Amino acid sequence: NMSAHLNTLSSQIVSLYQNPNLSSTPSIEQLYNAVSLNDIPNLIVSYSENLYILDFVSRLICIQINESNVDDNVRMNIFQLFVQHVEMDGKWWKMLVESLTDKGRSEGNLRALILLLRNAKKEAANGIGRGFNCALREAVLLYLNKQKKLPQDFQTTIAECISALNEKEPVLLCIRKQHDNIVNYILPHLISSWTQQQLVEVFCEIATRRDASLLQWLQVSADAITQWCMQIVDQKRGIDEPVLRRLILTVQLTIQNHILKLERKEYSVQAFLISFFKLTFSPVVLNSDNLEIYMECLEVWSCLSLSISDDEKREKFYEGCIHELMPKILKCSLYVQDGSPIMSSLDDSVERGAHETEVDEYLSHCVDTLAVICSSSTSNNHFTASIFDLMVKIIMQYQQLSAFNDPTAYRLARDSQTMILLFSQFASFLLDSFDKYRSIVDQFLRGIIGLTKFMAEKRIYFEGRAHQSLFVNCLHTCQTFFPWVRHELSLDATQGRVMIHALSDLLIGCIVNETPEWIIQESTTTFVRLITSIHFAHTHEFESFQQLCQQLPQFSSARSPLKGVAPKIHLAVSNSILLPKRDSDVHKKEWKEKVYGLYFNSSVVEPLRALLQSAEFDANPHGVTSTTHLIVHLKILNQLLKSIQEQSLTIRNIFFEQFAPLRSVILQLFSMYKDSWIMSDSLLSLLQSIFKSLHSQIGMEFIESTMNTFLQSLARPENVSRIIQNNNGKKFVKKLLSLQTILMADGNRRFRQLLPIYLKTSKDLIYVVISQDNGSSSVDIKGDFFHFLYTTLHQHFDYFAENPSDLMFIMQCFLDSLQSLDLNIVHLNLNYLRNLNASHILFKRPFFQAQYARAFMQNLALVLKSRNHELNNERILSTLFEMCQANGFTELFQLIQRQDLSEGGTTSVTEPSFQRALMEWIYA
């Protein structure tokens, strides 16, 4: 009967897997219910070769074994049968093992299974299925993951199981979970039997730990690595790349986390490092197809250098190693040394990212590593002179070449760049040791200036990427040593001036000559940083700078992308005179007035007058050449004006003294070009900067003349309407409003005489147009218009007591704007109204209460009800509450039919209850 029952069950199970859609096939739920717990052992024993049945049984066990009424002995018997009869892969064992501890079951089940499996191994190692190791591994891993601290009485059992498994994963888990007793038990066995690849994984995991618990095994690891490194070097053949990279990482982690511990234990760190040193520069690494392996070795040496920095005793201990390391890395970074196959194998034609080729990335990494290695004072003293001598030798060879389009020139250009970059890494050290290295740095800077000038004169940067990179790095190196030049200037003014003069001549030559755009940009940046970082206020005296100022407009006109060059240079020179960052007698007001006058007249005014008086300009002032040149001059003036906006009155007065003669010129130009959209933008921006920076100095005559020119252009509403249809026309009107706002914001009563005409223009011309325009033409202007109205009312509130018609105009503008569909305008004007209430108690003023309070409150309530401005609801509610506080809540509460809220008087209404009532009304 049992046999027949099992046969029936097995047939149905197989049918379920093979023909699940047949009507005669039971469902999996029906079969689960048909199989009892007593059937499971019989199915396991009788059908241990049938994968369908075993899969079904394993899934059933995971369900039935967790039933609360199943005895633990029954569970263990079932597992024992699986161990003895079934050969299954790891995923089934993992599922079965985890079922022992599912749903909060006791860890005792898992321990019992581990003991069962260990005993099965001891008693009948050859008589159990191959699934034994899977079961044991999964049970051990699960137990280790669940236990923070292993019970003392079970540690030996776990250790025996891991040793029996002879697998990497449980060992690594023990190291990570800090089960050190087990690690100490199993490692002797592993070291004698495991392969190099397996051991490297274990040693890397040990090195990852930062504590000293496994220090004895770190020493074993270091000994093994020392031996492996020497074997690799002696055999001159590689090992698997993943193994080699893991070995290098293990060395790095050992140095990073444990080198100091090993030193204190008097371990032979020197032998360990010597073996890795030999590996780093062995053919196995240097001939590797994977450059990253050598880079990873360099990273290890960087870690060592960082670990001993700022520790003079340890620096001395490793001095020999570091001194051997430097020339080796340098040899692998230069073509002329012929010491490494790496350089010749790299690609320098394809950019891999960030505008860098493979050679750029490699050399940058090497230089960074060398910089770290040489970071200690001991190393700096040892290497500075030798690096300088080698650099001079290489640069000299480069400059002696007769042709620059062949491989020799390419290699020398690359090597020159590498040496310059490396020497630049010493900049801060050299500045700290100024007296000792003054002569060397002086020679170095002169050499860099000479090399850059040599390349510029011969236009070598056209010969290829290597030469371009060298040229740019020469400029960047000059910037690195600007602090040194500043220090030199403070000690020896003559010598410092000579150096600055040489740099200025070089950079200006690169800017004005027919050079590529990128060289002009780099040279301009370097020149500006020279002037600003050194705070040298005499650049304008150099003849080369005077020539530059004469040529900049013409130069910029031919190169439209570089029109910003001239303003940058003038700004730097102007600031170096007006805004020195050091305090000395030479920079007192009288000196600034004199020196700035010389600069401004010779470098700004005279070139502008020369242009305006030229025959070409006189013949065709609206021509492309004339207007393009003039725009450059206007941008220079604009930049200088912007730079003094936030400066002291003294600085602005000094500037104005020199600028004053140009007032008539600018008025003449504005009148000439007011209808030229090409010119007006530059002129309008200049006028805005003049008003912002010099409105107190510029004089009423200039202000009135400027504003009259604006008003003559507008004249009638139809002119305004026509003008704002054009983007440049919008700028014209916006600038007018901006200039009016600047004057009104001053609060000075002498500007009040201009108010009637400004308000009349706003009322009769601008507002007439923008209030009738429902399109997008006036959107950009409205913000400036309301800003002008707000500023005028805020700064000159008392004026409107005598001019009620102007006040009515402004209030009506604000009232009408609340019906706008433009969220930004409504948001802006609500802020303006609340600010006016805060500063001038607007909502309590009699004129407001009598004429506007009711209209404003009704308008705002209707805006809320329309739900067109929900983003502004909070601001509208706050504004309404302030108005009601000043004028009473009754009328508004009648509007929303909530008279009950005001029964207790004005003081009884709180802002939260007020807002709540209105929100209920809005969404009713």
Side-chain angles (χ1 to χ4, degrees):
N1 290 338
M2 178 59 70
S3 177
H5 174 64
L6 290 177
N7 287 336
T8 302
L9 282 178
S10 64
S11 298
Q12 290 175 333
I13 292 169
V14 171
S15 178
L16 174 68
Y17 279 84
Q18 293 182 341
N19 303 296
N21 296 323
L22 290 179
S23 58
S24 59
T25 302
S27 66
I28 192 167
E29 290 80 11
Q30 289 173 329
L31 281 175
Y32 280 162
N33 293 329
V35 179
S36 69
L37 198 60
N38 294 327
D39 292 329
I40 293 176
N42 295 319
L43 286 170
I44 293 172
V45 174
S46 302
Y47 299 98
S48 60
E49 301 294 329
N50 190 312
L51 294 180
Y52 294 134
I53 293 176
L54 290 178
D55 183 79
F56 175 83
V57 171
S58 62
R59 293 178 185 277
L60 181 61
I61 288 173
C62 292
I63 296 171
Q64 292 197 0
I65 206 167
N66 282 312
E67 297 296 330
S68 58
N69 59 350
V70 178
D71 186 80
D72 282 348
N73 290 330
V74 174
R75 291 192 186 89
M76 298 313 301
N77 288 334
I78 291 173
F79 272 103
Q80 189 165 5
L81 287 172
F82 257 96
V83 169
Q84 292 173 345
H85 296 281
V86 177
E87 296 184 2
M88 296 177 66
D89 58 24
K91 67 177 181 179
W92 301 119
W93 284 115
K94 184 175 182 181
M95 182 169 61
L96 294 170
V97 168
E98 286 179 346
S99 71
L100 280 174
T101 51
D102 278 352
K103 301 181 181 178
R105 289 197 170 277
S106 167
E107 300 295 335
N109 290 339
L110 192 53
R111 290 182 60 173
L113 175 62
I114 292 171
L115 287 169
L116 166 69
L117 294 169
R118 185 199 64 173
N119 294 336
K121 176 71 172 177
K122 286 182 176 180
E123 295 171 5
N126 298 322
I128 62 173
R130 61 182 174 82
F132 164 76
N133 278 347
C134 292
L136 184 58
R137 180 181 66 247
E138 295 303 331
V140 168
L141 289 175
L142 184 62
Y143 189 76
L144 290 173
N145 274 313
K146 285 182 173 290
Q147 296 290 332
K148 290 184 179 178
K149 187 175 181 181
L150 295 182
Q152 192 73 28
D153 62 337
F154 204 59
Q155 289 183 8
T156 303
T157 300
I158 293 292
E160 289 175 353
C161 291
I162 294 174
S163 296
L165 283 170
N166 203 32
E167 294 182 10
K168 177 179 64 178
E169 191 176 358
V171 179
L172 298 180
L173 185 58
C174 282
I175 296 171
R176 287 188 208 113
K177 303 285 276 185
Q178 299 186 355
H179 299 314
D180 294 341
N181 288 341
I182 295 177
V183 175
N184 291 329
Y185 180 94
I186 59 179
L187 276 185
H189 162 71
L190 300 182
I191 289 173
S192 62
S193 62
W194 274 17
T195 64
Q196 184 187 79
Q197 181 176 355
Q198 290 173 307
L199 287 175
V200 166
E201 292 284 343
V202 172
F203 291 154
C204 188
E205 197 65 50
I206 292 173
T208 304
R209 291 242 315 250
R210 293 179 177 272
D211 60 279
S213 305
L214 300 175
L215 187 58
Q216 61 173 330
W217 298 112
L218 278 169
Q219 295 174 331
V220 172
S221 167
D223 287 338
I225 290 171
T226 301
Q227 183 181 352
W228 293 337
C229 287
M230 295 310 299
Q231 287 174 357
I232 296 168
V233 172
D234 293 341
Q235 293 171 6
K236 297 182 180 178
R237 61 182 178 84
I239 59 176
D240 289 341
E241 182 184 310
V243 179
L244 180 57
R245 298 183 79 159
R246 183 61 77 175
L247 186 148
I248 294 168
L249 177 60
T250 305
V251 175
Q252 181 178 340
L253 291 169
T254 301
I255 291 173
Q256 208 167 276
N257 297 333
H258 305 289
I259 190 77
L260 195 56
K261 303 184 191 84
L262 292 172
E263 289 171 17
R264 289 170 181 163
K265 283 288 185 179
E266 298 184 354
Y267 175 76
S268 180
V269 177
Q270 294 281 17
F272 173 66
L273 292 176
I274 287 170
S275 67
F276 187 72
F277 178 92
K278 291 180 178 179
L279 175 67
T280 301
F281 301 103
S282 68
V284 172
V285 172
L286 297 182
N287 288 325
S288 171
D289 292 334
N290 192 339
L291 178 64
E292 292 182 4
I293 290 179
Y294 176 64
M295 309 280 254
E296 288 167 7
C297 289
L298 294 187
E299 192 64 34
V300 173
W301 294 112
S302 293
C303 284
L304 175 66
S305 301
L306 289 171
S307 74
I308 64 174
S309 60
D310 301 325
D311 189 330
E312 191 174 337
K313 184 177 179 181
R314 295 182 70 214
E315 284 179 4
K316 196 72 178 172
F317 179 74
Y318 291 103
E319 186 178 57
C321 179
I322 296 296
H323 288 181
E324 286 287 327
L325 189 62
M326 173 73 178
K328 281 281 192 181
I329 298 176
L330 192 55
K331 187 175 182 179
C332 293
S333 309
L334 299 172
Y335 287 102
V336 296
Q337 296 288 306
D338 293 327
S340 168
I342 291 179
M343 294 295 291
S344 58
S345 68
L346 298 178
D347 183 7
D348 199 24
S349 59
V350 180
E351 292 184 355
R352 292 150 59 94
H355 305 295
E356 287 191 339
T357 64
E358 196 173 37
V359 173
D360 290 322
E361 290 181 0
Y362 171 71
L363 290 178
S364 176
H365 196 93
C366 290
V367 168
D368 289 345
T369 303
L370 289 167
V372 173
I373 291 170
C374 299
S375 59
S376 69
S377 57
T378 305
S379 299
N380 276 326
N381 285 322
H382 182 81
F383 292 120
T384 300
S386 59
I387 289 175
F388 178 76
D389 292 341
L390 180 58
M391 178 183 63
V392 170
K393 178 183 174 182
I394 292 172
I395 292 175
M396 193 176 296
Q397 290 176 14
Y398 179 76
Q399 290 180 288
Q400 289 172 350
L401 293 172
S402 57
F404 294 89
N405 57 355
D406 58 19
T408 301
Y410 161 81
R411 289 193 291 269
L412 283 169
R414 274 301 190 183
D415 287 351
S416 298
Q417 177 185 342
T418 301
M419 295 307 299
I420 290 169
L421 285 172
L422 179 57
F423 193 81
S424 299
Q425 299 287 342
F426 292 85
S428 58
F429 164 75
L430 295 170
L431 186 60
D432 292 340
S433 310
F434 185 86
D435 294 333
K436 183 175 181 179
Y437 294 105
R438 186 175 183 180
S439 174
I440 284 182
V441 177
D442 183 69
Q443 293 178 60
F444 170 72
L445 270 178
R446 289 177 185 277
I448 294 299
I449 294 170
L451 173 61
T452 314
K453 193 171 184 180
F454 168 80
M455 295 184 75
E457 289 173 351
K458 291 186 174 291
R459 305 170 75 78
I460 298 171
Y461 37 70
F462 286 119
E463 298 295 345
R465 199 179 188 286
H467 304 286
Q468 293 174 7
S469 296
L470 174 59
F471 189 88
V472 171
N473 273 290
C474 285
L475 295 179
H476 290 174
T477 299
C478 289
Q479 296 177 36
T480 303
F481 280 88
F482 283 164
W484 190 93
V485 176
R486 184 170 68 241
H487 196 42
E488 175 75 29
L489 185 66
S490 66
L491 294 179
D492 186 341
T494 303
Q495 180 67 18
R497 189 185 179 96
V498 168
M499 185 68 70
I500 296 169
H501 201 163
L503 280 165
S504 299
D505 284 351
L506 163 68
L507 297 167
I508 290 169
C510 291
I511 293 169
V512 300
N513 291 326
E514 290 295 321
T515 52
E517 179 181 324
W518 61 270
I519 288 183
I520 295 171
Q521 293 284 22
E522 289 286 355
S523 300
T524 300
T525 301
T526 305
F527 181 76
V528 168
R529 287 181 180 172
L530 170 70
I531 302 305
T532 54
S533 64
I534 295 177
H535 317 310
F536 183 68
H538 300 275
T539 314
H540 63 284
E541 298 173 7
F542 297 157
E543 183 179 350
S544 58
F545 180 74
Q546 295 299 322
Q547 294 172 353
L548 171 66
C549 293
Q550 295 291 336
Q551 296 181 50
L552 272 176
Q554 294 86 342
F555 146 79
S556 295
S557 66
R559 304 161 186 256
S560 56
L562 299 171
K563 287 182 180 177
V565 166
K568 284 181 184 177
I569 291 173
H570 276 286
L571 180 62
V573 175
S574 174
N575 286 347
S576 70
I577 301 170
L578 286 180
L579 313 173
K581 295 185 179 178
R582 57 184 182 180
D583 187 22
S584 61
D585 293 338
V586 78
H587 291 117
K588 287 185 176 177
K589 182 175 180 291
E590 296 78 12
W591 180 90
K592 287 181 182 178
E593 289 174 342
K594 177 183 176 182
V595 174
Y596 200 76
L598 292 171
Y599 154 70
F600 197 85
N601 283 305
S602 63
S603 305
V604 180
V605 177
E606 288 181 11
L608 176 58
R609 290 193 186 280
L611 169 66
L612 298 177
Q613 294 168 6
S614 67
E616 182 179 13
F617 188 87
D618 187 56
N620 188 10
H622 290 275
V624 174
T625 303
S626 297
T627 54
T628 308
H629 288 188
L630 183 56
I631 285 172
V632 175
H633 285 285
L634 297 180
K635 285 187 174 181
I636 291 170
L637 285 170
N638 195 15
Q639 190 77 293
L640 297 181
L641 282 159
K642 286 180 177 179
S643 71
I644 64 165
Q645 277 178 19
E646 304 299 326
Q647 299 304 321
S648 66
L649 181 62
T650 300
I651 296 295
R652 285 185 281 125
N653 285 339
I654 292 173
F655 181 89
F656 176 71
E657 287 177 16
Q658 310 309 320
F659 178 81
L662 290 177
R663 287 178 295 180
S664 59
V665 175
I666 291 167
L667 286 173
Q668 180 185 353
L669 291 173
F670 186 37
S671 180
M672 182 188 303
Y673 290 108
K674 66 179 184 297
D675 297 323
S676 168
W677 300 133
I678 295 174
M679 282 298 304
S680 67
D681 190 34
S682 298
L683 275 166
L684 292 173
S685 296
L686 175 62
L687 287 170
Q688 187 176 30
S689 295
I690 292 172
F691 275 51
K692 282 185 176 179
S693 302
L694 301 173
H695 59 268
S696 299
Q697 294 90 349
I698 201 69
M700 290 300 295
E701 183 181 351
F702 179 88
I703 291 171
E704 289 178 358
S705 298
T706 302
M707 302 309 288
N708 285 337
T709 303
F710 270 106
L711 299 178
Q712 287 168 13
S713 297
L714 298 178
R716 295 188 301 276
E718 53 267 29
N719 288 6
V720 178
S721 181
R722 176 179 51 81
I723 286 172
I724 67 171
Q725 299 302 316
N726 180 286
N727 284 333
N728 290 309
K730 288 180 189 177
K731 292 179 183 177
F732 188 85
V733 177
K734 283 169 67 68
K735 283 294 191 297
L736 168 63
L737 291 167
S738 173
L739 297 181
Q740 292 179 172
T741 303
I742 290 168
L743 295 175
M744 292 303 103
D746 185 273
N748 194 316
R749 285 188 171 268
R750 69 193 180 104
F751 294 138
R752 185 172 288 187
Q753 61 183 292
L754 303 171
L755 215 96
I757 186 64
Y758 291 173
L759 287 170
K760 180 175 175 54
T761 303
S762 300
K763 183 192 304 182
D764 298 343
L765 297 177
I766 299 175
Y767 189 64
V768 167
V769 175
I770 65 175
S771 63
Q772 295 174 358
D773 177 47
N774 295 322
S776 60
S777 301
S778 64
V779 169
D780 296 338
I781 297 172
K782 288 180 180 177
D784 297 276
F785 175 77
F786 283 107
H787 184 48
F788 164 67
L789 295 184
Y790 162 72
T791 303
T792 302
L793 190 56
H794 178 67
Q795 294 286 50
H796 304 276
F797 200 87
D798 56 327
Y799 166 85
F800 294 95
E802 300 172 1
N803 298 274
S805 62
D806 290 332
L807 178 61
M808 289 174 64
F809 163 67
I810 293 177
M811 297 313 299
Q812 191 63 45
C813 289
F814 278 116
L815 181 61
D816 293 344
S817 73
L818 298 179
Q819 299 297 326
S820 170
L821 294 177
D822 188 330
L823 286 171
N824 292 326
I825 291 297
V826 174
H827 178 89
L828 190 72
N829 287 348
L830 288 171
N831 283 342
Y832 288 157
L833 288 169
R834 295 182 71 190
N835 289 344
L836 288 169
N837 187 50
S839 58
H840 296 291
I841 324 175
L842 175 66
F843 301 156
K844 287 188 177 181
R845 297 277 177 172
F847 82 88
F848 186 86
Q849 291 180 331
Q851 296 175 275
Y852 294 104
R854 181 178 182 180
F856 269 100
M857 288 191 288
Q858 285 183 347
N859 265 10
L860 288 174
L862 292 174
V863 170
L864 284 172
K865 188 66 174 175
S866 70
R867 295 167 63 177
N868 289 328
H869 290 277
E870 289 186 293
L871 290 176
N872 282 321
N873 274 3
E874 185 176 348
R875 200 163 299 275
I876 294 172
L877 288 168
S878 297
T879 307
L880 262 177
F881 183 74
E882 290 183 18
M883 286 183 180
C884 289
Q885 275 190 315
N887 299 278
F889 292 88
T890 303
E891 188 166 336
L892 182 66
F893 286 157
Q894 285 176 350
L895 176 67
I896 68 172
Q897 298 178 351
R898 288 297 304 273
Q899 294 91 332
D900 58 299
L901 292 173
S902 58
E903 290 175 358
T906 300
T907 55
S908 67
V909 182
T910 64
E911 187 166 0
S913 65
F914 175 82
Q915 291 191 4
R916 196 162 46 247
L918 280 168
M919 292 303 290
E920 290 172 359
W921 173 68
I922 293 168
Y923 295 102

